[in-house]
Amino acid sequence: MTVTIVGSQLGDEGKGGIVDLYGDDVDVVARYQGGDNAGHTVVHEGEEYKLSLVPSGAIRGKVGVLGNGCVVNPRTLFDEIDTLQERGLDPDVRIAERAHVILPFHRVLDGIEEELKSETDDEVGTTGRGIGPTYEDKAGRRGVRVGDLLDPDVLRERLEYVVPQKRAVVEDVYDLDVDELDDPDAFDVDAVFEEFREFGRRFEAEDMTVNAGAFLSATIDEGQNVMLEGAQGTIIDIDHGNYPYVTSSNPTAGGAATGTGLSPGVVGDGEVIGIVKAYLTRVGSGPLPTELGGVVGDTPGYDEQGEGENEELANYIREEGGEYGTVTGRPRRVGWLDLPMLRHSTRVSGFTGIAINHLDVLAGLDEVKVGHTYTLDGEELASMPATTEQWAKCEANFRSFDGWPEVDWADAAEEGYDALPENAKAYVEYIESELDTPAYAIGVGPGRGETIVREQPF
Ligand code: GDP
Ligand code: IMO
Ligand code: MG
């Protein structure tokens, strides 16, 4: 069977930790979208691993697959594999032949477009990894796929079409001189060909490429368990998120089918677990109706959003939760839990269960608030409106919970749910009841031993 892990908010909900938690019963962990914009943290035997591309199961020796819905930067992938090997692991990673390749010019173009948009404060605050430009080329039918790296003639043909076109975009649309960019080789067919052909040779030598759908279907037919690991989160989904402040893929459960080649029936027959952070964080621009203030340097779009108010509280939660981007190190914006957002996520992905993380971070506060509904133009809303402009106008109607004390979380995790402070349980039960979805796991610290497990999905 399959278990699909989906971020229910804005990314960084602790997906990597939950993939790890349930990883023992899994044979294969497959990513279905995104690329090295993701930053998933796994704490294993006291060691912290930060993974951008390699699926989180690799830490426990599971086969990892990067599905066709992913965009793969081979530079990052091999760096990550080499680093894991230096740390004594032997990651077994297979890459879909249909996955698209992030080429050096994609990163450059990501940077140029963000820079241009920043002149009018419209930047998305991307991770700068070239994610959007690569998905653009995929949709524009001019992309390079992993399978193409194995065939020098096809690779050259594709590059000869796309590279000069990108050079022209830089020069004629953005009016920049390619030779004055940091990485002019990104726009040189021969340089890109040489480097990426070499990656293709390594893929071939290490037998890393697969037909992901066929491989995963066969795995399931043999009775093995497959975990589908989402990156990012529902509100930065390109279809169901707050466009245009989104990533360029589908982190929601539908993406698990298109992004792996497993049928929707197979994904739907399994469990879909929504990962919920007990409060909100956001890196990058866009509205956040339950945002707490807090001046966090030059986070794009931040200044317009609630600066000042509740600044101390935001800073406190940011420090307690270590809320700095895994990939970019940017301070994360902080807000209270947002129930209209979670009702939307639960509907879009059909969560069969949720995992609520970071309950420990809120311990010690006198009061914990949640946005229970919104008011928009005098009307009360239980779920998110479809346009970002409307969402930005939503005012949260808060509910207040009494805080809970700091306890020994590892002890509490061992003893089980009943060992949680009463007020923390009231908070969990409120979320379960509003979403009509049981909490399978409750995170009370970064390690696996700091998670209360109430349900084993496999
Ligand atoms: P992901 O992108 O969804 O996998 O999440 P990240 O790894 O980017 O961010 C989550 C961070 O919170 C990591 O540093 C985790 O180790 C940590 N973490 C996960 N669950 C918990 C929890 O329940 N409590 C605390 N304090 N930290 C957690
Ligand atoms: P994980 O998997 C949080 C955000 C960026 C930006 C927007 C678009 O660790 O949860 P992109 O580089 O994808 O074009 O940026 O999406 N973003 C994330 N935010 N967690 C992530 O991944 C993210 N991946 C992208 O900050 O706002
Ligand atoms: Mg992350």
Side-chain angles (χ1 to χ4, degrees):
M1 71 172 282
T2 63
V3 169
T4 303
I5 300 294
V6 177
S8 68
Q9 295 151 326
L10 294 136
D12 304 326
E13 301 92 346
K15 296 175 290 293
I18 299 297
V19 171
D20 183 60
L21 175 73
Y22 290 130
D24 281 344
D25 298 325
V26 170
D27 301 289
V28 176
V29 178
R31 284 262 313 260
Y32 54 87
Q33 42 71 235
D36 57 343
N37 49 348
H40 297 176
T41 314
V42 176
V43 181
H44 177 49
E45 290 174 353
E47 290 236 18
E48 189 178 72
Y49 297 88
K50 289 185 181 295
L51 301 169
S52 281
L53 212 42
V54 171
S56 299
I59 304 302
R60 285 174 204 270
K62 309 297 175 181
V63 175
V65 175
L66 294 174
N68 54 277
C70 294
V71 286
V72 179
N73 186 332
R75 289 179 178 170
T76 313
L77 178 67
F78 287 126
D79 269 359
E80 211 161 278
I81 290 175
D82 293 345
T83 305
L84 289 173
Q85 282 172 347
E86 281 158 25
R87 292 179 73 177
L89 300 175
D90 186 20
D92 179 354
V93 184
R94 320 287 173 90
I95 306 83
E97 289 153 341
R98 287 186 163 95
H100 278 249
V101 178
I102 301 182
L103 294 165
F105 59 75
H106 289 125
R107 271 202 185 209
V108 177
L109 290 167
D110 192 349
I112 292 175
E113 180 141 20
E114 282 285 279
E115 180 80 28
L116 184 69
K117 285 185 169 176
S118 76
E119 288 171 15
T120 48
D121 279 338
D122 289 320
E123 73 272 37
V124 176
T126 71
T127 59
R129 298 299 189 265
I131 305 297
T134 306
Y135 280 113
E136 270 178 57
D137 282 347
K138 172 179 176 174
R141 297 165 295 203
R142 66 182 89 84
V144 170
R145 304 200 297 177
V146 166
D148 302 339
L149 302 185
L150 273 53
D151 184 329
D153 294 336
V154 173
L155 177 60
R156 186 167 279 281
E157 192 180 300
R158 299 247 193 277
L159 292 175
E160 276 174 359
Y161 179 77
V162 73
V163 174
Q165 197 180 87
K166 298 303 172 185
R167 179 181 276 269
V169 167
V170 169
E171 293 183 338
D172 301 341
V173 177
Y174 295 116
D175 203 19
L176 296 169
D177 184 347
V178 163
D179 295 322
E180 284 177 11
L181 297 175
D182 288 343
D183 185 10
D185 277 355
F187 298 86
D188 181 292
V189 173
D190 289 335
V192 177
F193 177 82
E194 287 310 322
E195 185 183 1
F196 282 73
R197 179 60 196 125
E198 194 50 43
F199 290 135
R201 286 196 198 97
R202 184 164 169 189
F203 281 140
E204 207 164 25
E206 298 182 22
D207 202 14
M208 291 172 77
T209 59
V210 289
N211 178 339
F215 177 80
L216 292 170
S217 299
T219 304
I220 290 169
D221 289 346
E222 284 164 19
Q224 302 195 47
N225 287 329
V226 174
M227 178 93 81
L228 304 173
E229 176 181 0
Q232 289 84 47
T234 305
I235 309 307
I236 51 176
D237 180 290
I238 189 144
D239 284 277
H240 305 291
N242 72 128
Y243 193 89
Y245 301 106
V246 292
T247 190
S248 300
S249 65
N250 290 119
T252 45
T258 45
T260 57
L262 289 171
S263 78
V266 169
V267 175
D269 260 354
E271 299 257 11
V272 179
I273 304 181
I275 313 303
V276 178
K277 187 177 268 189
Y279 48 93
L280 282 188
T281 57
R282 171 165 212 164
V283 273
S285 326
L288 203 57
T290 61
E291 181 156 23
L292 289 159
V295 180
V296 289
D298 59 357
T299 302
Y302 190 81
D303 287 345
E304 304 92 78
Q305 323 261 346
E307 181 184 312
E309 209 191 334
N310 294 317
E311 192 178 311
E312 239 172 79
L313 193 50
N315 290 338
Y316 171 82
I317 293 174
R318 183 174 310 108
E319 294 311 316
E320 285 293 302
E323 298 294 0
Y324 292 87
T326 311
V327 174
T328 57
R330 288 179 290 177
R332 294 173 179 153
R333 295 160 58 193
V334 177
W336 293 122
L337 193 71
D338 184 322
L339 262 293
M341 179 188 287
L342 291 180
R343 292 185 192 102
H344 171 72
S345 313
T346 304
R347 184 186 57 73
V348 172
S349 289
F351 298 147
T352 55
I354 53 174
I356 304 174
N357 283 326
H358 298 87
L359 217 54
D360 55 307
V361 175
L362 299 177
L365 297 176
D366 290 337
E367 181 191 34
V368 175
K369 291 210 228 174
V370 300
H372 177 70
T373 56
Y374 299 143
T375 298
L376 175 65
D377 297 332
E379 208 183 308
E380 190 178 19
L381 300 186
S383 189
M384 278 178 70
T387 76
T388 295
E389 289 66 29
Q390 287 176 316
W391 192 41
K393 283 200 287 174
C394 285
E395 272 184 40
N397 300 311
F398 287 101
R399 278 207 183 170
S400 178
F401 288 79
D402 290 333
W404 48 89
E406 194 71 58
V407 298
D408 185 319
W409 296 110
D411 280 359
E414 201 167 348
E415 278 175 54
Y417 184 69
D418 286 339
L420 274 184
E422 285 307 316
N423 291 344
K425 281 195 275 191
Y427 191 69
V428 168
E429 286 159 25
Y430 161 79
I431 301 168
E432 289 182 300
S433 127
E434 288 298 322
L435 303 181
D436 196 15
T437 309
Y440 284 2
I442 294 158
V444 291
R448 190 192 245 206
E450 293 152 325
T451 311
I452 295 167
V453 184
R454 295 165 87 197
E455 193 73 47
Q456 288 290 352
F458 284 109

